């Protein structure tokens, strides 16, 4: 099975169909160069502080020779714009709303740079924390990786196993089933919570720069604690839709707070 590739402007229904069938899909041409540059510029002071581990520990989730920063909604308005991208939201509507009638939420935000010499990341599934559900698990997560630079097989493009979202838990991927999601800067790779994937090894001289944004059902615990990463004093000034998607709102009876009328910030 291959990674389907579609271009921006393709109907949301066709993108959703490809993602459903393969468990992954690349959509090209979704972010402009200006927006990519804005993300990099806004995050640069935070990336500069990221510690790059030189001695790789093979059991660590994140390989050495990589750089990461989170809390993107607080740190980068340009990344906040990506969180609300219409293609992403339409995929969340399709895959998450049936299991989460009061809405979905941002689950993780991070900029991930893979440096020369970095090893391959351990293949994993984004929904691995939700062990309560038996395999194959229901749709809990939609994930996206935004290519800020070109993603090539030799500079650490995300590795993905098409079709693995429907596999039994124990089935291991063979090498020929693991594909590099090569895509030009400005593209996005989408995958489902059950699809096996991980960052590729970087055998080239340049750093691969990607922004991962994942979304989950509104009644699950978020992987990134948005209330700490985007505290009320920051959330108050965000566009309402962005504040809502990071969790400053009620999900039915869940999430009230004594300070807000319905679990939302007073504005
Ligand atoms: O960096 C990548 O290509 C993948 C990262 C990833 O899968 C993760 O952080 O969960
Ligand atoms: Fe992942």
């Amino acid at each position: 099975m291959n990674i389907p590739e579609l271009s921006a402007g393709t109907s949301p229904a066709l993108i959703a169909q490809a993602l459903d069938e393969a468990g992954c899909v690349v959509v090209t041409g979704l972010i402009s160069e200006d927006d990519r540059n804005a993300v990099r510029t806004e995050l640069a002071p935070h990336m500069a502080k990221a510690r790059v581990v030189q001695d790789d520990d093979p059991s660590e989730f994140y390989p050495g020779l990589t750089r990461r920063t989170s809390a993107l909604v607080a740190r980068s308005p340009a990344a906040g714009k990506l969180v609300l991208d219409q293609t992403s939201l339409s995929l969340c509507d399709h895959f998450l709303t049936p299991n989460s009638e009061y809405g979905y939420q941002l689950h993780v935000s991070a900029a991930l740079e893979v440096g020369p010499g970095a090893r391959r990341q351990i293949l994993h599934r984004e929904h691995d924390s939700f062990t309560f559900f038996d395999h194959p698990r229901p749709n809990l997560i939609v994930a996206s990786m935004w290519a800020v630079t070109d993603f090539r097989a030799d500079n650490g493009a995300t590795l993905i196993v098409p079709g693995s979202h429907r596999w039994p838990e124990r089935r291991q991927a063979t090498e020929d089933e693991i594909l590099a999601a090569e895509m030009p800067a400005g593209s996005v790779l989408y995958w489902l919570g059950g699809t096996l994937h991980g960052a590729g090894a970087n055998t080239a001289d340049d750093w691969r720069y990607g922004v991962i944004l994942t979304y989950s059902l509104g009644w699950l615990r978020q992987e990134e604690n948005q209330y700490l990463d985007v505290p009320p004093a920051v959330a108050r000034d965000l566009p309402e839709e962005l504040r809502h998607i990071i969790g400053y709102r009620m999900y039915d009876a869940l999430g009230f707070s004594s300070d807000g009328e319905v679990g939302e910030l007073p504005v």
Side-chain angles (χ1 to χ4, degrees):
M1 199 182 275
N2 289 321
I3 306 171
E5 186 177 310
L6 300 167
S7 54
T10 306
S11 79
L14 282 180
I15 299 174
Q17 189 187 344
L19 179 53
D20 190 34
E21 280 167 19
C24 56
V25 61
V26 165
V27 182
T28 57
L30 269 191
I31 359 169
S32 68
E33 193 176 349
D34 284 353
D35 286 349
R36 298 198 302 273
N37 288 339
V39 169
R40 280 190 95 138
T41 305
E42 289 163 0
L43 293 176
H46 304 285
M47 272 300 199
K49 282 190 225 143
R51 199 168 66 92
V52 179
V53 174
Q54 302 292 330
D55 299 319
D56 182 55
D57 173 350
S59 64
E60 278 293 318
F61 181 68
Y62 285 113
L65 302 169
T66 59
R67 249 195 315 248
R68 297 175 298 284
T69 193
S70 287
L72 301 197
V73 171
R75 294 177 169 174
S76 166
K81 198 169 133 186
L82 300 184
V83 170
L84 296 177
D85 176 82
Q86 279 311 314
T87 303
S88 300
L89 299 188
S90 69
L91 291 171
C92 290
D93 286 339
H94 182 91
F95 290 96
L96 302 181
T97 301
N99 298 338
S100 187
E101 60 182 307
Y102 299 105
Y104 42 81
Q105 60 193 355
L106 187 67
H107 192 59
V108 168
S109 71
L112 301 175
E113 277 193 281
V114 177
R119 68 161 162 88
R120 171 197 278 208
Q121 190 183 28
I122 298 162
L123 293 185
H124 58 277
R125 293 181 159 98
E126 301 305 24
H127 69 196
D128 280 344
S129 296
F130 301 112
T131 50
F132 175 82
F133 297 99
D134 287 336
H135 282 254
R137 296 186 171 128
N139 284 322
L140 305 172
I141 290 173
V142 168
S144 64
M145 173 63 83
W146 296 76
V148 174
T149 58
D150 289 338
F151 272 41
R152 306 186 312 272
D154 70 347
N155 77 349
T158 307
L159 301 173
I160 197 124
V161 184
S164 56
H165 60 314
R166 303 229 166 98
W167 290 5
E169 185 175 4
R170 280 182 220 291
R171 178 165 164 195
Q172 301 274 326
T174 57
E175 275 307 307
D176 59 330
E177 289 173 321
I178 305 171
L179 306 183
E182 294 198 281
M183 51 182 175
S187 313
V188 187
L189 167 70
Y190 290 103
W191 68 99
L192 296 176
T195 309
L196 277 171
H197 70 283
N202 188 338
T203 58
D205 297 329
D206 56 315
W207 286 72
R208 183 223 77 176
Y209 195 120
V211 167
I212 186 170
L213 299 174
T214 69
Y215 305 82
S216 57
L217 306 184
W219 45 270
L220 291 172
R221 175 91 198 259
Q222 287 151 298
E223 192 169 325
E224 178 185 13
N225 191 321
Q226 296 293 336
Y227 311 102
L228 294 178
D229 274 1
V230 191
V234 176
R236 189 168 280 122
D237 295 328
L238 294 174
E240 187 179 46
E241 201 183 352
L242 193 53
R243 192 166 68 236
H244 283 178
I245 205 167
I246 64 175
Y248 284 90
R249 69 166 166 201
M250 297 281 288
Y251 180 96
D252 194 17
L254 306 178
F256 82 89
S257 134
S258 57
D259 288 340
E261 272 189 22
V262 282
E264 300 185 25
L265 286 171
V267 281

